[in-house]
Amino acid sequence: MSTIHTAAEVAADAAAADPSNRPPKKSSQTCIPCRVRKVRCDGRRDVCQNCERLGFTCSFQDAASPNQDSESLTNFTLPRRRVRLACANCHCRKARCSGETPKCARCQAQGIECVYKPTKRSGGLSSASQPTHQGTTDSELESVTSEPPEKRVMTTKDNQGSHHGPQGLDHGFEPNGAALTASSREPFVFPDEALIQRTFNNFFRHIHHVPTFSFLHRASLMQRYHAGMMDKALLLALVGITSLLMDLGPGTREYGARCIDECQTMVLQDLENPSTIKIQALVLIMKHRMLSRKFTTAFMLAATAARFAYALRLNYENPNLCFLARESRRRLMWALLTIDSSINGGCSDFTLMPSESMHIQLPCTERNFEFDLPQVTEYLRPVPTRPFPDDVGSLALHVRLLWMRSRVLYCTKNVLGMPESELAQLPELVKVLSEELTGFNDHLPASFKFSESNLQLRAYSPRLCVYIMIHVWWRQCYCDLYRMFLVGLKEALPQSGLTRLDPSFVSYCVRQCYEHALAMADIFKLVLSLDGGLPVTDLDLPACAYQCARILYFGYQTSPGDIGLTSNQVHEIGTRCLTIAKSMEHVPAGASIVSYDSSDYLITLY
């Protein structure tokens, strides 16, 4: 019995040893590349997720001999992924390096020498002979594309709506602004992190307080940037306008101009999709064009921005939005209105945004906007007949005053084209506008009225710029209103028309024009005496300084008795106005004002 059992066991062992009777081996759930890399594999056949992402050839070992698995792993080699090398300067400072040759973006922006250390594979070649990333695959640039959207090379428009350049478009720009040759075919490269941070710091510290640029909310913008959600066109526009108004380093001003060109191209290539962010970028582009004396471009872009704004109904309140979004939209619309009023110059045919179309509140205070504190403010129309509330914002006063100035300019333009037989109604028009301007100053809270003490209190405040411009514009409005009575001035009525008016009325208007110009010169004197120096301003301050010197010089030449100044006094005022104008001499439009400022007039005095 035991012998039979032993024979059965032997037969069973022999059957098990036969390969033909062995059960089929279960297929592996890990591909060979993932097994070699010792990472988890999802087991998806044809190609697993890891191999698809990295571009590896995915293969699975289904049935094999006991030694076949080890032999496959031994013979299998993974493609080498070369890590992008950083230049010596970026490496020692532990800064992100773009890896471009002959200079990386950071060294280009800062104007420093860029040196790449030779490697064994490069055979000791210099950085100029090292290959660039052009022509590499997506997997080879995996470390680059993991950066935030602001730092990626522009290719296409991503799923989140961030703006990229179109595929195949040769922008031909380098970070330092030097034009590339057509044969290089390198795409436009965004600013490095250091330049972006300098842009943010300088913009919000020195430029944001200028009324036209105050529509951006710093905390919200920085959150979007760090989350990788900031719009590329807006980022380029910020770099462009900040590099023009501030010194961000060697070559950045030229590079900033190219950023503006690129931003403009991106916006105009996507006209089908208007957005608030595109309008914000357009405002910055227009201001850059105006400061660069490219007024025709700004004139045309203003029409696009206005169409975008009307299409999005930004001129109406949207109660479904949070306070910050509504306030940012309001400030953006008032910035557009301000630009439009400066472009049309009182010509109704060129007006894109009449005040009647603005159905939104005036801006709130800077503190409430910064800390997201909802505030109900007044509307622009009608003209207020009671004092302004104590919590009125300086930006709201600035908007209201520029609206009054636009009405003054409309009046003077119409009067110049009015038949002389209808000039009898001119004194009444002048009286109405003059009373509105007087009421504006009377309604100001005590802290907003102009005095040396109030000016000194704001010497180190970001509100200094708008405080100065409120009172300078107020004086300039009177000069715009009364200068049409200065016989011989370009903006004046002809002598034949003035003879139809009461001589005492004309004499009163002439004296008022000179008095307000002198008062403006006194403001400039106090501003120049501030310890903190002049704040960053728009072209408004140099333009008003030019008009002040022009009117006073004209008065000294034509009627010195009315102006009551000696040649030395006129020269001193002209020098003062020239100093104010030179604060914007670093921009082309400001330099053009300086080139024919009061110094040119006053040369003839000696």
Side-chain angles (χ1 to χ4, degrees), residues 169-219:
L169 181 63
D170 179 22
H171 301 284
F173 299 147
E174 279 188 345
N176 67 341
L180 297 173
T181 59
S183 59
S184 63
R185 292 294 187 187
E186 292 189 16
F188 178 87
V189 179
F190 275 84
D192 64 2
E193 184 68 20
L195 180 58
I196 293 175
Q197 292 303 323
R198 289 202 305 275
T199 296
F200 287 149
N201 292 336
N202 281 274
F203 178 83
F204 286 105
R205 181 177 298 177
H206 302 291
I207 301 175
H208 184 259
H209 59 260
V210 178
T212 313
F213 303 126
S214 60
F215 52 83
L216 293 174
H217 187 259
R218 182 172 190 175

Side-chain angles (χ1 to χ4, degrees), residues 211-451:
T212 313
F213 303 126
S214 60
F215 52 83
L216 293 174
H217 187 259
R218 182 172 190 175
S220 302
L221 186 74
M222 298 306 297
Q223 289 174 4
R224 292 203 308 269
Y225 172 74
H226 291 302
M229 299 172 59
M230 184 172 177
D231 185 84
K232 287 176 175 285
L234 181 59
L235 179 63
L236 288 177
L238 281 171
V239 173
I241 194 65
T242 307
S243 62
L244 180 64
L245 294 173
M246 304 295 298
D247 185 9
L248 299 183
T252 53
R253 190 156 293 166
E254 293 77 11
Y255 175 54
R258 297 184 180 277
C259 287
I260 291 293
D261 292 337
E262 180 65 23
C263 176
Q264 178 177 317
T265 300
M266 294 165 65
V267 173
L268 295 182
Q269 285 180 344
D270 195 23
L271 294 178
E272 292 292 328
N273 302 296
S275 68
T276 304
I277 294 180
K278 284 191 178 72
I279 302 175
Q280 292 175 346
L282 281 173
V283 169
L284 299 179
I285 295 173
M286 285 187 289
K287 292 305 297 182
H288 189 283
R289 298 306 189 197
M290 295 169 70
L291 293 170
S292 302
R293 295 197 70 193
K294 298 180 180 179
F295 298 107
T296 303
T297 304
F299 182 80
M300 298 304 175
L301 291 176
T304 302
R307 286 293 188 186
F308 276 5
Y310 285 138
L312 297 173
R313 308 289 284 174
L314 298 188
N315 56 322
Y316 287 89
E317 294 286 349
N318 187 347
N320 298 323
L321 299 177
C322 66
F323 169 73
L324 273 183
R326 296 173 65 181
E327 180 63 20
S328 180
R329 287 159 59 106
R330 292 171 190 151
R331 290 170 174 246
L332 181 60
M333 285 301 294
W334 294 123
L336 279 176
L337 182 69
T338 301
I339 294 176
D340 181 51
S341 62
S342 65
I343 289 178
N344 62 52
C347 296
S348 57
D349 293 341
F350 295 152
T351 301
L352 297 169
M353 308 186 74
S355 59
E356 295 81 4
S357 65
M358 305 295 284
H359 307 284
I360 55 177
Q361 297 178 19
L362 291 171
C364 68
T365 63
E366 291 299 321
R367 180 180 181 275
N368 289 344
F369 180 51
E370 180 180 0
F371 295 107
D372 192 13
L373 302 175
Q375 178 185 2
V376 178
T377 58
E378 298 177 335
Y379 287 81
L380 180 64
R381 301 168 61 89
V383 177
T385 57
R386 62 182 185 276
F388 298 117
D390 292 335
D391 62 346
V392 64
S394 55
L395 187 57
L397 296 175
H398 186 269
V399 170
R400 187 176 293 281
L401 186 57
L402 288 185
W403 171 58
M404 292 182 176
R405 182 174 185 261
S406 67
R407 298 176 66 228
V408 169
L409 294 179
Y410 283 130
C411 174
T412 55
K413 290 287 185 179
N414 291 332
V415 167
L416 292 176
M418 185 183 299
E420 294 183 357
S421 58
E422 300 179 6
L423 290 179
Q425 57 183 328
L426 180 57
E428 186 62 28
L429 292 175
V430 172
K431 180 182 178 182
V432 171
L433 294 174
S434 177
E435 288 178 349
E436 289 183 6
L437 291 171
T438 303
F440 174 86
N441 188 63
D442 293 341
H443 294 161
L444 288 176
S447 60
F448 277 99
K449 290 187 180 295
F450 186 80
S451 65

